[in-house]
Amino acid sequence: MSVNIQQSLGTRFGEYAYLDTRKPKNFPPGPKWYPLIGCTLEVIRTRKKFEGLYEATAQMCLKYGPVLGLKIGREPVVIMYGPAEIKEMSMSEDLLGRPLGSYFNMRTWNKRLGIILTDREFWQEQKKFVLRHLKEFGYGTGNMSELIQEETFHLLNSIEKSMGEKDFTIFNMESLFSVSVLNSLWLMLAGVRYSPEQSEMKKLQRIMSDLFKVIHMIGAPFSYFPILKYVAPELSGYKAYVETHCLIWDFLKKELEQHKKTHDPENPRDLMDLYLNVLYSPDHGESFSEEQLLAICLDMFMAGSETTNNSTSFGFLYLILNPEVQKKTQEEIDSVLGGRAPRLSDRPNMPYTEAVVMEALRMFGLRAFSVPHRALRDTYVGGYFIPKDTLVVANYHGSMMGPNCGFTDPEKFDPERYIVDRKVTIPEHFIPFGIGKRRCMGDSLAKANIFMFITAILQKYDVKVVPESPPDMRVVDGVTPAPVHYKAKFIRRQL
């Protein structure tokens, strides 16, 4: 009897192993799949060889084609690399979903909440509400300009405070802009601004930055191999994931409780107050809840600050490495501003500086992945079959650095590529914020912040290499790409 059972189990395991390695018909090409692990080992091997996951999958796409089919653990993942395929994916109604599973739901109390990682009618209703009411507090309006200009003023004061009576000082560039970026958005969301010196905010920013380096946009080791949560909680990123979210939840809950105590329905101060007005009304939609409000703040808190901070850090990294670009930017700043403080309304008159911002965004974006999409139904992209619920991710390296990107000498930091007849033009494959209905909501705020920070700093300072901590072209792989730690010397300009 035991022999028969063993034979039966062996047969069933053999059948399972065989089925687990079979690819759906016309599924995108990629490495061979093995039982239980898929092609995980091949991805790990390639990732170690190259700079990070974006470069590893780019190399795999050059080998297998512009649409790459992977299987991590038991989860199929499709990487879009070709510019045409990225566009087709981004515009497809069949691929507007967001991923399912505990990894993506854990961040919001094991529920599908927020805006970034929700879909269908829930996402549409919440996104519409947020965008409509953020405008009441400045987003995309003249008030946003004033808000960013004021935040830039506070940033410069912080730099001057650090410099004191000296002619120069040295800054860690990976964290210089983080609180300023967060304040630009947080003032509209919760009516609060923070000082870079506040210990609680510095702690949160450090913890959040560490988390973004441990996990990745398309998952973490524990999301594909759940057993790692128990046998290797630190190595798999699970411990950092849980602890960081708990800290941020506590921070957001305190802010919400404070708002509830001082809430005046007749005089809303920010988006949080307007959302409370809806919650206190008897006929609000089912998608509205206190947890959803906190999840919206979580999305904005995490996505908005880290992405713009890293883009700005990349911008200054390349300005340091290309002093001729920095000098030309300063010449335009001096010519247009004449010594007065910059304003966002100056952008049309400063095409070169605007082009520097765009090139900084390209250098950040080409190292980034899109937020994962999910196939809402069986569909096709680039002629390949994408089964329902498959995770689909764009590797923007293909659109902004790859062989079909359309950029001349794409590895060079060259703002001139965007200027035609003294006007800024946007190349076809310049998509640092994505395209389609899932395009990043915060693109206008991000571009405005980067423009103001670069302009205001270069107006007052020369930014130079610190020989003991030179810029490194390697990248910290994670949720969003970041430059490897580097410092910069700010020297007062002699005007």
Side-chain angles (χ1 to χ4, degrees):
M1 182 68 178
S2 61
V3 173
N4 290 336
I5 292 175
Q6 289 176 359
Q7 289 177 340
S8 177
L9 289 175
T11 300
R12 289 182 180 180
F13 179 78
E15 291 174 350
Y16 166 79
Y18 170 70
L19 293 173
D20 201 39
T21 61
R22 289 188 64 189
K23 299 182 181 181
K25 185 178 180 181
N26 202 29
F27 192 74
K32 183 179 179 180
W33 293 357
Y34 295 92
L36 299 178
I37 63 171
C39 56
T40 305
L41 295 179
E42 178 66 14
V43 173
I44 292 173
R45 185 190 67 79
T46 310
R47 188 175 182 177
K48 285 183 177 180
K49 184 177 179 181
F50 295 97
E51 187 170 334
L53 190 59
Y54 85 91
E55 180 67 15
T57 53
Q59 292 297 324
M60 295 172 82
C61 286
L62 294 176
K63 178 179 179 180
Y64 292 103
V67 183
L68 175 68
L70 304 174
K71 192 176 188 183
I72 311 299
R74 301 199 63 204
E75 297 294 326
V77 179
V78 174
I79 306 293
M80 300 293 174
Y81 185 75
E85 289 76 15
I86 290 175
K87 183 176 181 180
E88 185 180 353
M89 162 207 157
S90 302
M91 305 304 290
S92 172
E93 295 287 333
D94 295 339
L95 296 173
L96 286 178
R98 286 305 196 206
L100 305 170
S102 62
Y103 170 75
F104 298 100
N105 293 344
M106 277 173 56
R107 58 192 293 278
T108 49
W109 310 279
N110 293 315
K111 300 177 182 178
R112 283 174 65 79
L113 297 171
I115 296 178
I116 293 176
L117 292 173
T118 52
D119 51 38
R120 298 186 186 271
E121 291 77 12
F122 184 100
W123 164 67
Q124 292 172 356
E125 184 174 28
Q126 291 295 308
K127 179 184 176 183
K128 183 178 179 181
F129 177 89
V130 170
L131 286 177
R132 182 171 73 246
H133 291 297
L134 271 181
K135 289 182 180 179
E136 297 183 33
F137 300 103
Y139 186 75
T141 70
N143 287 338
M144 185 180 82
S145 300
E146 295 176 8
L147 186 153
I148 294 173
Q149 286 160 200
E150 181 179 355
E151 203 52 48
T152 304
F153 171 78
H154 288 297
L155 173 63
L156 290 176
N157 276 350
S158 178
I159 292 172
E160 279 295 308
K161 185 177 179 181
S162 297
M163 189 170 288
E165 298 299 320
K166 298 179 293 183
D167 290 328
F168 72 89
T169 194
I170 294 172
F171 290 100
N172 293 321
M173 295 303 289
E174 70 267 26
S175 59
L176 181 62
F177 310 101
S178 56
V179 175
S180 299
V181 171
L182 176 62
N183 280 337
S184 299
L185 182 60
W186 203 238
L187 279 163
M188 290 182 272
L189 282 172
V192 179
R193 79 169 304 276
Y194 298 97
S195 165
E197 289 76 31
Q198 285 180 270
S199 59
E200 183 181 21
M201 180 53 55
K202 290 171 72 173
K203 180 181 177 183
L204 271 174
Q205 285 290 334
R206 185 177 65 253
I207 291 171
M208 192 165 63
S209 178
D210 290 343
L211 172 70
F212 273 46
K213 296 171 185 176
V214 173
I215 63 175
H216 202 278
M217 184 67 77
I218 60 176
F222 72 85
S223 64
Y224 294 105
F225 302 97
I227 193 173
L228 294 177
K229 292 190 291 187
Y230 310 103
V231 300
E234 292 194 26
L235 187 62
S236 68
Y238 176 73
K239 186 173 183 287
Y241 189 90
V242 172
E243 290 180 349
T244 304
H245 281 92
C246 285
L247 284 167
I248 297 175
W249 290 335
D250 288 343
F251 173 83
L252 295 174
K253 286 176 182 176
K254 288 177 184 177
E255 190 60 59
L256 177 57
E257 289 304 314
Q258 184 62 34
H259 263 70
K260 289 163 70 175
K261 291 177 183 177
T262 59
H263 175 246
D264 180 358
E266 300 300 322
N267 297 290
R269 300 157 295 181
D270 44 55
L271 182 74
M272 196 174 277
D273 274 347
L274 282 175
Y275 205 98
L276 287 173
N277 281 354
V278 174
L279 292 180
Y280 294 151
S281 67
D283 56 350
H284 65 75
E286 293 184 2
S287 69
F288 289 83
S289 67
E290 280 195 14
E291 287 181 330
Q292 169 61 10
L293 172 55
L294 290 171
I296 290 171
C297 293
L298 176 68
D299 281 349
M300 300 298 185
F301 190 96
M302 296 188 74
S305 60
E306 196 70 13
T307 301
T308 306
N309 177 67
N310 289 346
S311 298
T312 311
S313 295
F314 270 113
F316 276 98
L317 182 148
Y318 281 96
L319 285 166
I320 290 170
L321 294 176
N322 296 273
E324 73 285 355
V325 174
Q326 183 175 161
K327 185 175 185 296
K328 189 168 182 178
T329 308
Q330 288 173 323
E331 289 173 352
E332 182 179 76
I333 291 169
D334 296 343
S335 173
V336 174
L337 302 185
R340 65 167 172 82
R343 299 187 290 260
L344 277 179
S345 58
D346 294 317
R347 290 165 76 180
N349 300 319
M350 300 174 68
Y352 190 80
T353 308
E354 186 76 351
V356 168
V357 172
M358 294 176 68
E359 191 70 334
L361 285 167
R362 186 178 73 90
M363 290 301 180
F364 166 82
L366 66 84
R367 296 172 166 92
F369 290 88
S370 69
V371 177
H373 291 226
R374 174 175 61 90
L376 297 173
R377 57 191 67 85
D378 289 352
T379 190
Y380 289 83
V381 174
Y384 293 105
F385 176 61
I386 312 294
K388 180 183 177 183
D389 290 333
T390 298
L391 209 67
V392 184
V393 185
N395 182 343
Y396 290 134
H397 184 275
S399 196
M400 292 184 283
M401 176 83 73
N404 297 314
C405 68
F407 290 99
T408 302
D409 198 5
E411 295 189 6
K412 181 181 179 182
F413 187 80
D414 182 17
E416 299 281 358
R417 69 173 82 248
Y418 305 100
I419 300 176
V420 178
D421 296 330
R422 299 182 181 179
K423 293 183 179 179
V424 174
T425 62
I426 300 177
E428 180 183 2
H429 300 316
F430 177 80
I431 53 169
F433 299 101
I435 52 176
K437 292 183 178 180
R438 284 294 188 174
R439 177 184 171 90
C440 174
M441 291 169 51
D443 60 342
S444 62
L445 182 63
K447 288 186 288 188
N449 269 315
I450 298 169
F451 174 85
M452 285 297 296
F453 294 160
I454 287 177
T455 303
I457 287 173
L458 292 188
Q459 183 183 35
K460 292 182 174 294
Y461 310 102
D462 293 317
V463 186
K464 303 291 186 181
V465 170
V466 176
E468 299 79 20
S469 180
D472 191 319
M473 296 311 295
R474 292 176 300 159
V475 174
V476 178
D477 209 10
V479 174
T480 59
V484 168
H485 169 80
Y486 76 99
K487 296 179 180 180
K489 180 187 248 185
F490 282 40
I491 306 170
R492 281 201 179 94
R493 293 181 64 198
Q494 302 300 318
L495 300 174

